[in-house]
């Protein structure tokens, strides 16, 4: 089994594979580290995007409307509460917010929807909404929204208590909310999804690639969140070879079907002795590859969810500098990805993840200059 042309360089594939996959994922080392000291919220970027490098085990994701809100005051309040909740040193301003539990790896990430962005800063990044895609069964209240809150931690009790304190006495109208989880991560950040296949966290390598592909000049980023109900019984009823053909990887080892071992680069040109592509034309890893979708890198921090036998799936979360990175990839998947036959979107939205903040720069302050 030999490729018909030489495989791409390691650098080219790592850059390309950063955008590969809503489910299959890939494993990219050298992720950025979390802030070394002080409240985890403070810095040039919000936590919960590129830090911590390996996503926490538990997440509470929610979307809200805030009709008539004073956004400057609302964001300042959220920033103050995030600072108090994530500060490892208790303060008089936050007595018992977590019922005496340490915040540990708690991160809270805030984003605002396109309607709000367009109202405050017309024409700026983040003011464009997502188009409709195939295989969507999304109720009107589960599409879009004004405010996104992502709360993550290793301890689900910390997540729950943080959400309670974060939302205290705020005048918000709920749209949808999802609690979710991840399996134990490998050292490279990969974890198995609810189909049993390795679901890697795609992290552009190093600060330069994050700056080029994820962060806007302001320190903000564009998030896309999609709740995908997966046909778990239907997929698992398929023979394992068929499951692997859908993903383009081996289920037990995560090795690409083009061979080379679990850490090998995917070779889209590799063929069998009878001329068949080893990575099928409709496999997820091929359809989502940026060489075929024309998209850039995306940073993924996805979770699984289980709301009972009839509703299990993926909370897909990605961050990028341009919304087109996700849109181009999803259109390509809709055109012929075998994995999409098992996925139905039930909630969807895009949000401007605000720049980082600190004692002298309240959350959202850059919007009101």
């Amino acid at each position: 089994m030999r490729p018909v042309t030489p495989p791409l360089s390691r650098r080219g594939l790592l850059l390309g594979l950063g955008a590969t996959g809503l489910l299959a994922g890939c494993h990219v080392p050298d992720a950025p580290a979390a802030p070394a000291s002080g409240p985890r919220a403070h810095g040039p970027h919000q936590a919960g995007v590129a830090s911590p490098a390996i996503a926490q085990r538990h997440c509470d994701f929610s979307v809200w409307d805030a009709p008539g809100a004073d956004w400057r005051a609302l964001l300042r309040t959220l920033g103050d509460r995030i600072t108090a909740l994530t500060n490892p040193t208790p303060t008089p301003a936050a007595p018992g917010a977590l019922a005496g539990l340490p915040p540990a790896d708690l991160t809270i990430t805030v984003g605002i929807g396109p309607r709000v962005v367009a109202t405050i800063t017309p024409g700026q990044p983040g003011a464009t909404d997502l188009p409709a895609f195939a295989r969507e069964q999304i109720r009107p209240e589960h599409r879009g929204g004004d405010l996104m809150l992502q709360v993550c931690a290793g301890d689900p009790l910390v997540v729950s208590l943080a959400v309670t304190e974060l939302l205290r006495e705020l005048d918000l109208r709920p749209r949808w909310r999802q609690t979710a989880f991840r399996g134990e991560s490998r050292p490279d950040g990969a974890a198995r999804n609810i189909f049993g296949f390795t679901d890697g966290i795609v992290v552009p390598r190093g600060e330069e690639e994050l700056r080029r592909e994820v962060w806007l000049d302001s320190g903000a980023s564009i998030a896309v969140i999609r709740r995908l109900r997966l046909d778990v019984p239907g997929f698992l009823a398929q023979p394992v070879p068929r499951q692997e053909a859908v993903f383009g990887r081996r289920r037990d080892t995560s090795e690409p079907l083009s061979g080379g071992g679990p850490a090998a680069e995917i070779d889209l040109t590799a063929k069998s002795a009878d001329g068949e592509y080893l990575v099928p034309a409709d496999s997820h890893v091929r359809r989502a590859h940026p060489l075929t979708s024309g998209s850039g890198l995306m940073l993924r921090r996805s979770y699984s969810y289980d709301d009972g036998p009839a509703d299990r799936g993926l909370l897909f979360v990605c961050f990028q500098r341009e919304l087109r990175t996700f849109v181009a990839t999803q259109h390509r998947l809709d055109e012929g990805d075998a994995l999409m036959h098992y996925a139905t979107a039930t909630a969807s939205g895009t949000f401007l993840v605000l720049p980082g903040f600190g004692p002298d720069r309240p959350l959202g302050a850059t919007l009101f200059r």
Side-chain angles (χ1 to χ4, degrees), residues 259-309:
E265 301 161 355
I266 297 172
D267 182 3
L268 299 181
T269 68
K271 292 184 177 181
S272 65
D274 58 5
E276 295 292 327
Y277 280 112
L278 298 180
V279 180
D282 63 351
S283 67
H284 186 58
V285 297
R286 181 181 289 275
R287 298 298 300 187
H289 198 286
L291 292 180
T292 60
S293 68
S295 61
L297 288 149
M298 65 174 72
L299 173 62
R300 297 180 49 242
R301 296 179 78 86
S302 299
Y303 285 79
S304 295
Y305 76 89
D306 187 342
D307 290 342

Side-chain angles (χ1 to χ4, degrees), residues 137-364:
Q137 295 180 7
I138 302 176
R139 296 161 56 183
E141 65 269 27
H142 293 171
R143 189 186 297 275
D146 290 345
L147 178 70
M148 173 205 87
L149 299 175
Q150 176 190 277
V151 182
C152 302
D155 185 343
L157 184 56
V158 168
V159 171
S160 179
L161 292 171
V163 170
T164 299
E165 172 62 17
L166 193 65
L167 298 175
R168 177 173 50 83
E169 298 178 357
L170 294 182
D171 187 14
L172 300 175
R173 181 183 302 166
R175 275 183 171 260
W176 63 278
R177 180 179 176 185
Q178 185 66 58
T179 57
F181 58 90
R182 287 175 54 85
E184 184 175 356
S185 295
R186 304 185 326 191
D188 59 10
R192 292 188 182 274
N193 59 38
I194 207 163
F195 279 158
F197 280 77
T198 300
D199 187 11
I201 303 172
V202 178
V203 182
R205 294 188 303 154
E207 293 297 329
E208 175 58 26
E209 287 181 6
L210 284 168
R211 183 196 63 78
R212 186 174 62 247
E213 303 287 353
V214 176
W215 301 123
L216 294 163
D217 293 343
S218 65
S221 187
I222 306 297
V224 171
I225 293 86
R226 303 263 288 171
R227 184 174 61 194
L228 303 174
R229 185 176 65 239
L230 302 179
D231 180 9
V232 179
F235 181 83
L236 296 182
Q238 303 300 311
V240 171
R242 175 55 188 160
Q243 296 178 24
E244 294 175 338
V246 168
F247 269 92
R249 289 186 180 273
R250 301 297 178 196
R251 190 177 71 177
D252 56 347
T253 65
S254 302
E255 179 183 25
L257 296 186
S258 52
E265 301 161 355
I266 297 172
D267 182 3
L268 299 181
T269 68
K271 292 184 177 181
S272 65
D274 58 5
E276 295 292 327
Y277 280 112
L278 298 180
V279 180
D282 63 351
S283 67
H284 186 58
V285 297
R286 181 181 289 275
R287 298 298 300 187
H289 198 286
L291 292 180
T292 60
S293 68
S295 61
L297 288 149
M298 65 174 72
L299 173 62
R300 297 180 49 242
R301 296 179 78 86
S302 299
Y303 285 79
S304 295
Y305 76 89
D306 187 342
D307 290 342
D311 190 6
R312 290 180 286 175
L314 181 80
L315 184 62
F316 173 80
V317 183
C318 70
F319 304 92
Q320 49 269 300
R321 183 182 174 94
E322 296 181 343
L323 186 60
R324 180 188 175 279
T325 299
F326 171 80
V327 172
T329 301
Q330 186 60 54
H331 279 318
R332 180 67 176 167
L333 301 184
D334 288 347
E335 291 170 358
D337 183 351
L339 188 56
M340 293 298 100
H341 294 298
Y342 300 94
T344 302
T346 61
S348 182
T350 180
F351 301 89
L352 177 67
V353 175
L354 299 168
F357 61 100
D360 300 323
R361 184 177 65 170
L363 178 66

Side-chain angles (χ1 to χ4, degrees), residues 39 41-42 72-87 91 93-94 97 108 110 165-166 168 357-364:
H42 293 174
R72 187 191 298 266
L74 174 59
L75 293 173
R76 179 186 286 270
T77 296
L78 287 171
D80 290 345
R81 291 182 180 179
I82 293 169
T83 297
L85 284 165
T86 59
N87 194 339
T91 66
I108 302 171
V110 178
E165 172 62 17
L166 193 65
R168 177 173 50 83
F357 61 100
D360 300 323
R361 184 177 65 170
L363 178 66

